[in-house]
Amino acid sequence: MTTEIKKTYRHFTDEEIQRANSVDLIDLARQYGFQLEKGGRKAMHAKQSGGLYIFKDSNRFYHWTADEKGGPIDFVMKYGNASYQEAVAMLLGERYESYIRESVTYVKEEKGEVILPDKAENFKRVYWYLISIRGIDSQIVSVLMNEKKIYQEGKYGNCVFVGYDETGTAKYCSMRGTYGSKPFKMDAVNSDKSYPFVIEGKGNHLFVCESPIDAMSHATLAGMFKKDWKDDHRISLGCVWDGALERYLSWHPEINKIVFALDNDYLARDKDDNYRNWGQLAARKWCDKYNEMGYDVAIHKPHLKDFNQDLLGIRGGKTPADLDTIRENELRLAFEKDAVDENSLEEFEL
């Protein structure tokens, strides 16, 4: 059993949040050291920022290369490396520490054994789904099925992905439906996300993906571009938490280069309807973390949302440039829907 400290915080009122988001963003950017220049009829551009624009009328910012936008609170969170509570407190000119009310002890429950679903008599439907619908290389699917990392659930025909510990005991299990436009997704009871789904490699190079299908798609693309997919390690985290990565590195001290091949959530939004590219935010955060630990790090960002969408597009005859055009058009439509100033939009050099 492990013990953690759980803290509760003062709730900000709507009026306080509005005041925090009313702080002049242009002045705020200058306080953070940005040198601003005219960037359009109603926008200021931050020099050497990788595409940061600040809109005067709406008091909001947009960072082109990171696909992120928001108001003053989001700006402080991004450029001040602050939590939401810290950002609001800073903008109100108050101390964040004063919001801690109480500490209570929380006892973390240990998981039991993961409960794997029953296997089907054959895996034909899952084999068809992964190859014909998801575009994954048949050799990759066969290898992983032989390694008992993929199988077909008996009752519903779901695709089952399994992660093991170093002794070969199943610890992680996620299920994905093979029917419908919005397929079923669920982790098995007692599934532990600190154990990755693994495509074992032979070298010192590790690709980190979010889902098993992403990892298999990335391996398939490597083979299509004349690389041996078996040379490099690939894991999926099942989320945007790096617990499984830490565990896998402890098993493989020979790995010295990590490439974060996470989702490109360029149209994703947070609870406040602000754009938030969760996958790429995590990739940049982990690059900092693992670089400080001595690893060579890099980011491999998909052209579209994830590497399976890239794979299906390329199998459909599209080039990487075509995929970029699709993404840019989707972004443009989203901006138009959000009524982004057209003159300022031209400055983003789509």
Side-chain angles (χ1 to χ4, degrees):
M1 306 288 283
T2 59
T3 302
E4 299 177 354
I5 300 299
K6 180 181 179 182
K7 297 178 180 179
T8 58
Y9 302 95
R10 171 182 174 273
H11 174 71
F12 291 107
T13 66
D14 291 341
E15 187 274 333
E16 287 172 321
I17 293 170
Q18 184 177 3
R19 276 199 293 127
N21 262 332
S22 297
V23 172
D24 188 277
L25 194 49
I26 291 177
D27 288 343
L28 188 62
R30 290 192 174 112
Q31 291 176 30
Y32 274 77
F34 288 106
Q35 296 182 10
L36 303 180
E37 61 185 358
K38 188 173 181 181
R41 187 165 58 87
K42 296 182 179 181
M44 299 294 287
H45 171 248
K47 296 180 180 179
Q48 299 179 337
S49 64
L52 172 63
Y53 288 82
I54 297 174
F55 297 93
K56 303 174 187 178
D57 291 352
S58 62
N59 201 40
R60 294 174 68 80
F61 75 92
Y62 180 76
H63 194 285
W64 175 248
T65 55
D67 295 337
E68 296 170 359
K69 73 174 185 177
I73 295 174
D74 300 285
F75 188 89
V76 173
M77 290 173 66
K78 176 176 175 60
Y79 295 105
N81 194 27
S83 69
Y84 180 82
Q85 289 86 358
E86 289 169 330
V88 175
M90 286 184 227
L91 291 166
L92 294 175
E94 302 173 10
R95 285 180 58 82
Y96 169 70
E97 288 80 6
S98 65
Y99 299 142
I100 298 177
R101 286 180 171 177
E102 61 180 328
S103 297
V104 294
T105 300
Y106 167 71
V107 180
K108 182 179 178 181
E109 295 184 4
E110 297 294 332
K111 290 181 178 289
E113 292 185 2
V114 62
I115 301 176
L116 298 177
D118 293 335
K119 293 181 180 179
E121 292 183 1
N122 63 70
F123 304 162
K124 289 181 179 179
R125 176 162 188 84
V126 163
Y127 190 79
W128 166 83
Y129 170 75
L130 293 174
I131 295 170
S132 300
I133 303 301
R134 289 295 183 170
I136 297 167
D137 183 87
S138 60
Q139 183 189 34
I140 295 173
V141 176
S142 295
V143 166
L144 294 173
M145 282 184 169
N146 288 333
E147 293 176 350
K148 300 181 180 180
K149 295 175 181 176
I150 301 175
Y151 68 89
Q152 182 172 319
E153 181 193 17
K155 186 173 182 179
Y156 299 107
N158 293 320
C159 186
V160 180
F161 303 99
V162 185
Y164 297 89
D165 66 13
E166 61 272 44
T167 69
T169 302
K171 292 289 187 178
Y172 166 76
C173 173
S174 68
M175 296 168 282
R176 184 181 181 92
T178 56
Y179 299 87
S181 58
K182 293 184 178 180
F184 165 83
K185 294 180 183 179
M186 183 178 178
D187 289 348
V189 174
N190 294 330
S191 182
D192 188 341
K193 287 184 181 294
S194 72
Y195 290 87
F197 173 86
V198 174
I199 303 176
E200 200 83 30
K202 297 178 288 189
N204 61 352
H205 197 156
L206 170 65
F207 289 95
V208 180
C209 301
E210 287 189 33
S211 75
I213 286 178
D214 289 337
M216 290 188 290
S217 299
H218 194 279
T220 300
L221 285 165
M224 292 172 66
F225 285 91
K226 310 302 180 184
K227 296 181 180 179
D228 189 345
W229 63 270
K230 296 184 290 295
D231 285 345
D232 301 317
H233 301 262
R234 288 177 176 84
I235 65 170
S236 79
L237 307 176
C239 56
V240 283
W241 173 57
D242 64 336
L245 171 57
E246 291 181 345
R247 188 181 296 277
Y248 193 72
L249 292 172
S250 73
W251 297 343
H252 292 276
E254 76 278 8
I255 291 174
N256 57 28
K257 183 170 184 179
I258 306 171
V259 179
F260 294 101
L262 305 181
D263 287 2
N264 185 12
D265 300 307
Y266 53 88
L267 293 178
R269 297 176 185 253
D270 62 17
K271 62 181 179 62
D272 297 316
D273 206 33
N274 297 317
Y275 285 100
R276 189 74 68 206
N277 196 328
W278 304 110
Q280 295 307 300
L281 284 171
R284 289 198 297 276
K285 178 178 72 175
W286 294 341
C287 273
D288 291 339
K289 173 180 175 178
Y290 289 92
N291 180 254
E292 291 178 0
M293 294 169 64
Y295 292 95
D296 290 334
V297 295
I299 294 175
H300 188 189
K301 182 165 67 173
H303 299 273
L304 300 178
K305 181 184 179 299
D306 56 46
F307 283 102
N308 188 247
Q309 288 190 10
D310 283 8
L311 172 60
L312 294 175
I314 289 172
R315 286 208 182 279
K318 293 181 174 59
T319 66
D322 294 332
L323 301 182
D324 286 337
T325 299
I326 292 172
R327 184 189 68 252
E328 290 161 3
N329 287 338
E330 288 178 345
L331 282 167
R332 184 179 288 279
L333 288 172
F335 298 153
E336 290 173 352
K337 185 177 180 181
D338 290 343
V340 171
D341 179 75
E342 288 294 334
N343 293 316
S344 298
L345 185 61
E346 293 174 1
E347 299 294 327
F348 293 148
E349 299 179 354
L350 287 176

